[in-house]
Amino acid sequence: MIASTPKPPYYAVIFTSIRTEGDNGYSETAERMLELAKQQLGFLGVESARNDIGITVSYWKDLAAIKAWKENAEHQIAIEKGKAEWYKDYKVRIAKVERDYEL
Amino acid sequence: MIASTPKPPYYAVIFTSIRTEGDNGYSETAERMLELAKQQLGFLGVESARNDIGITVSYWKDLAAIKAWKENAEHQIAIEKGKAEWYKDYKVRIAKVERDYEL
């Protein structure tokens, strides 16, 4: 689904990743993290696709909301498992959405 | 591939889309647009993934580079074909990348 986001400005976290082989508990945690992210204050929406690489873009009200989510204890554990087991490589970009338009 | 982008700030164009059924000349044009985008002044990189939805994030030096690419004549034709034939829905977000970090 294309996320229904409010009128800009708001923030995007662009998470691009390359997975390791096998699931290793990834799917379950990914689902839980999505559920948990949706409960955060300031969460606006998320879009995700994967084939050779995975791209997940989550949208947030402001930088404070992104910081709070990054520091969430359960998320922190997932980040560490991600670094150790699930991702061969990843990059996170924090970006301020200034404009948007639709079909 | 995860795009190798310079130190922020720079810009991201987050293009999220849902395709119509069938190819209808889409693949050939998409490949050509990628080739053409890479030749633009200020183009920094691109990341793309698709399953239920497609997400293509292209990275640019500044807003002027994004504007010039949007106004490129061949790209304009592709945009119109995209609206008419290839996409059921899409959303474009222009965002300023303020920070990034890697694995």
Side-chain angles (χ1 to χ4, degrees):
Chain A
M1 284 288 293
I2 296 178
S4 287
T5 39
K7 201 165 165 289
Y10 54 88
Y11 276 82
V13 177
I14 306 164
F15 177 73
T16 311
S17 64
I18 297 173
R19 291 267 286 110
T20 52
E21 298 297 313
D23 189 73
N24 308 313
Y26 167 79
S27 299
E28 194 185 335
T29 302
E31 202 172 309
R32 170 68 184 148
M33 286 306 113
L34 184 61
E35 185 191 306
L36 204 59
K38 287 177 178 171
Q39 294 168 18
Q40 301 302 302
L41 267 179
F43 175 85
L44 301 177
V46 65
E47 293 161 346
S48 199
R50 176 177 301 278
N51 30 41
D52 295 336
I53 65 167
I55 305 177
T56 296
V57 190
S58 57
Y59 300 101
W60 301 86
K61 187 173 178 286
D62 52 29
L63 288 173
I66 294 170
K67 188 164 184 282
W69 170 232
K70 194 183 175 187
E71 291 172 356
N72 173 286
E74 203 175 332
H75 187 203
Q76 282 279 344
I77 293 166
I79 290 169
E80 290 312 312
K81 285 206 73 168
K83 286 181 183 179
E85 290 188 50
W86 297 325
Y87 298 113
K88 241 185 251 181
D89 197 9
Y90 70 70
K91 189 161 184 124
V92 179
R93 296 176 175 96
I94 315 286
K96 185 181 190 175
V97 178
E98 299 179 348
R99 284 185 296 141
D100 64 9
Y101 51 93
E102 302 177 319
L103 179 60
Chain B
M1 283 289 293
I2 296 179
S4 287
T5 38
K7 202 165 166 289
Y10 53 88
Y11 276 83
V13 178
I14 306 164
F15 177 73
T16 312
S17 64
I18 297 174
R19 291 268 286 110
T20 53
E21 298 296 313
D23 191 73
N24 308 312
Y26 166 79
S27 299
E28 194 185 334
T29 302
E31 203 172 308
R32 170 68 183 147
M33 286 307 113
L34 184 61
E35 184 192 308
L36 204 57
K38 287 177 178 172
Q39 295 168 17
Q40 300 303 300
L41 265 179
F43 175 86
L44 301 177
V46 65
E47 293 163 346
S48 201
R50 177 177 300 279
N51 31 41
D52 295 337
I53 65 167
I55 305 176
T56 297
V57 189
S58 58
Y59 300 101
W60 301 87
K61 186 172 179 287
D62 51 32
L63 288 173
I66 294 170
K67 188 165 184 281
W69 170 231
K70 194 183 174 189
E71 291 172 356
N72 173 286
E74 203 175 333
H75 187 204
Q76 282 280 343
I77 294 166
I79 290 170
E80 290 312 312
K81 285 206 76 168
K83 286 182 183 178
E85 291 189 49
W86 297 324
Y87 298 113
K88 242 186 249 180
D89 197 8
Y90 70 69
K91 189 159 183 124
V92 179
R93 296 176 175 94
I94 315 286
K96 185 181 189 175
V97 178
E98 298 180 348
R99 285 186 296 142
D100 63 9
Y101 50 93
E102 302 177 319
L103 179 63

